[in-house]
Amino acid sequence: MNDGTGHGAAWSGRGNGAPASTRTAPLPGMPSPATPGRTHEGHADDGSRPRRSATGRSPRPRPTRRRRVVRLTVLLLAALVASSAGTYVWADTELDQEVDLGALPDRAPAGKGTNYLIVGSDSRAGLSEQARKDLRTGSAEGRRTDSMILLHTGANGTTMLSLPRDSWVTVPAYVRPETGRSYRAEPNKLNAAFSLGGPDLLVRAVESNTGLHVDHYAEIGFAGFVGVVDAVGGVDMCLDRDVKDPNSGADLRKGCQTLDGSEALAFVRQRKQEAQGDLGRTRNQQKFLTALAEKAVTPGTLLNPARSFPTLDAGLDTLVVDRDTGLRDLMTLFRAMRGVTAGGGRQLNVPVSDPALATSKGSAVQWDDRRARTLFTELRNDRPVTLPQEK
């Protein structure tokens, strides 16, 4: 029909007067109209298909309990490793690297393998007056050695060689730092080199009398020793007899037991009841150090910050190393000592011809020159150690 305006109106043919539906394009920025009951995908929204997010992706399924446990475990391990790494970075920067081996004169030429000089000093630094009494360390001042071990690692495993502190050797010429006075080379006890010239003169004396080049130096005092043993929770030792020494304070029963720091210190220092005196004591020291190393490098200690941090902190108080020795070198040293107990090395004393040599400096230990030279040569060339028989 025409309404008189010149425009036609379209009406439904159903006769109900409702205008016919017309579909027009949406204006810019407006959504397209959709038939009720339809999704924008054009499928019926009857709940049979998963809904999608506004990005078009299906929602992620909730993680199962097993997946949550795995994720939590990974996060805990990552945190544990990170904290352990942080502990070691801290400890590496705290090392007292006061010994400069590179500045020493007349060094022995480097051989094959690696040599560590391990020194247990009787320094009382870090001990209170009460602790000195409890540990029976005495009140002597200064630095003296209580034990010396030359540890060699190479292609043929590890050799722990104890050098008795009363060894009769030639102490090289030196200058006393506190007086500037020069002294010529002369025979004396090996321990005297340490007390007269500290680590520098001791290293020179060891090198000049053995011909072995010292690659790394590590020294720990009484307080650090006790602290490390206590920090790792004690060290398990099996004794074949009772040990009682009023001088060191050792009072231990035969059998297997866990020694705490003070008991361990008394054990490694006692020698009065040892049939071979200082030589017997060096064997006890080797035995204990390998047991300590076995405990210190276990995963339960290394990967546990609650235990590794106190262990490192206790040892750093009195630990002295050379400038080229870092925490990684010390861990290598402990692993090498631990390897000895697993059959990967040997524990030896330097061959001795007279354990009670009378000298102007008192009773001393005289090396068996022929057998000692053979041993030093084999270590320098990193060959299997085969000591000639005693005469």
Side-chain angles (χ1 to χ4, degrees):
M1 290 180 66
N2 194 312
D3 60 2
T5 62
H7 298 286
W11 298 91
S12 165
R14 294 181 181 179
N16 56 8
S21 174
T22 59
R23 300 178 63 90
T24 60
L27 295 175
M30 296 185 63
S32 299
T35 304
R38 296 278 182 175
T39 67
H40 66 281
E41 293 290 335
H43 299 290
D45 189 10
D46 58 359
S48 62
R49 292 179 179 272
R51 291 184 176 272
R52 294 181 178 270
S53 64
T55 60
R57 297 177 181 176
S58 298
R60 292 183 179 181
R62 296 184 65 183
T64 63
R65 182 175 182 276
R66 181 179 178 183
R67 290 182 65 185
R68 290 197 298 271
V69 171
V70 170
R71 288 178 183 177
L72 179 60
T73 302
V74 171
L75 288 174
L76 289 175
L77 287 175
L80 187 62
V81 171
S83 59
S84 298
T87 298
Y88 291 139
V89 169
W90 164 82
D92 204 34
T93 61
E94 291 292 313
L95 287 174
D96 184 358
Q97 298 173 309
E98 72 171 51
V99 181
D100 187 1
L101 296 179
L104 300 183
D106 306 321
R107 299 293 308 278
K112 297 180 180 179
T114 303
N115 297 316
Y116 299 81
L117 182 59
I118 308 166
V119 176
S121 77
D122 64 359
S123 170
R124 278 76 174 167
L127 293 177
S128 65
E129 288 298 326
Q130 186 59 47
R132 294 185 185 192
K133 293 178 182 179
D134 294 341
L135 297 174
R136 304 194 185 190
T137 64
S139 57
E141 300 299 332
R143 293 166 71 178
R144 278 169 291 276
T145 58
D146 216 56
S147 63
M148 284 173 281
I149 293 177
L150 192 63
L151 185 136
H152 173 84
T153 63
N156 294 290
T158 301
T159 298
M160 291 182 68
L161 177 64
S162 286
L163 305 174
R165 65 178 188 173
D166 290 339
S167 297
W168 192 245
V169 297
T170 299
V171 175
Y174 65 97
V175 177
R176 288 296 293 265
E178 61 269 25
T179 64
R181 183 178 175 183
S182 298
Y183 293 84
R184 295 180 298 177
E186 64 174 1
N188 206 332
K189 295 180 182 180
L190 186 57
N191 189 37
F194 187 71
S195 60
L196 294 171
D200 291 359
L201 187 57
L202 177 62
V203 170
R204 291 178 58 212
V206 169
E207 289 194 348
S208 63
N209 285 276
T210 66
L212 294 170
H213 182 87
V214 174
D215 299 289
H216 297 285
Y217 176 89
E219 170 197 335
I220 191 167
F222 284 162
F225 180 87
V226 171
V228 168
V229 175
D230 285 339
V232 298
V235 175
D236 300 329
M237 292 288 293
C238 292
L239 307 179
D240 55 10
R241 56 184 172 80
D242 292 346
V243 176
K244 191 173 183 65
D245 181 7
N247 291 331
S248 71
D251 188 6
L252 305 171
R253 295 293 183 183
K254 175 182 178 180
C256 296
Q257 55 207 287
T258 301
L259 305 185
D260 63 21
S262 59
E263 292 171 334
L265 181 62
F267 174 69
V268 299
R269 294 185 65 220
Q270 65 86 23
R271 63 173 178 171
K272 295 297 183 182
Q273 70 176 45
E274 297 294 332
Q276 292 185 299
D278 203 34
L279 296 179
R281 178 168 69 165
T282 58
R283 292 190 181 93
N284 289 337
Q285 291 168 348
Q286 288 185 351
K287 182 179 180 180
F288 182 83
L289 282 178
T290 54
L292 174 60
E294 186 170 8
K295 184 73 172 286
V297 298
T298 57
T301 299
L302 288 179
L303 295 180
N304 183 357
R307 177 167 287 180
S308 62
F309 180 84
T311 302
L312 292 169
D313 190 39
L316 287 174
D317 285 343
T318 61
L319 181 66
V320 177
V321 297
D322 66 274
R323 293 185 180 181
D324 293 328
T325 294
L327 195 60
R328 179 176 297 180
D329 300 298
L330 292 176
M331 295 309 301
T332 299
L333 166 63
F334 266 74
R335 289 192 180 96
M337 286 195 293
R338 184 189 184 195
V340 173
T341 61
R346 301 182 63 181
Q347 301 178 54
L348 303 172
N349 264 319
V350 64
V352 170
S353 60
D354 188 351
L357 176 69
T359 73
S360 59
K361 307 293 184 181
S363 179
V365 175
Q366 185 176 45
W367 295 353
D368 183 322
D369 188 67
R370 181 179 66 90
R371 300 176 70 233
R373 292 297 164 192
T374 298
L375 171 61
F376 299 149
T377 299
E378 290 176 342
L379 291 177
R380 183 169 58 252
N381 295 319
D382 196 27
R383 294 200 300 257
V385 175
T386 54
L387 290 177
Q389 296 298 314
E390 296 184 30
K391 294 181 179 179

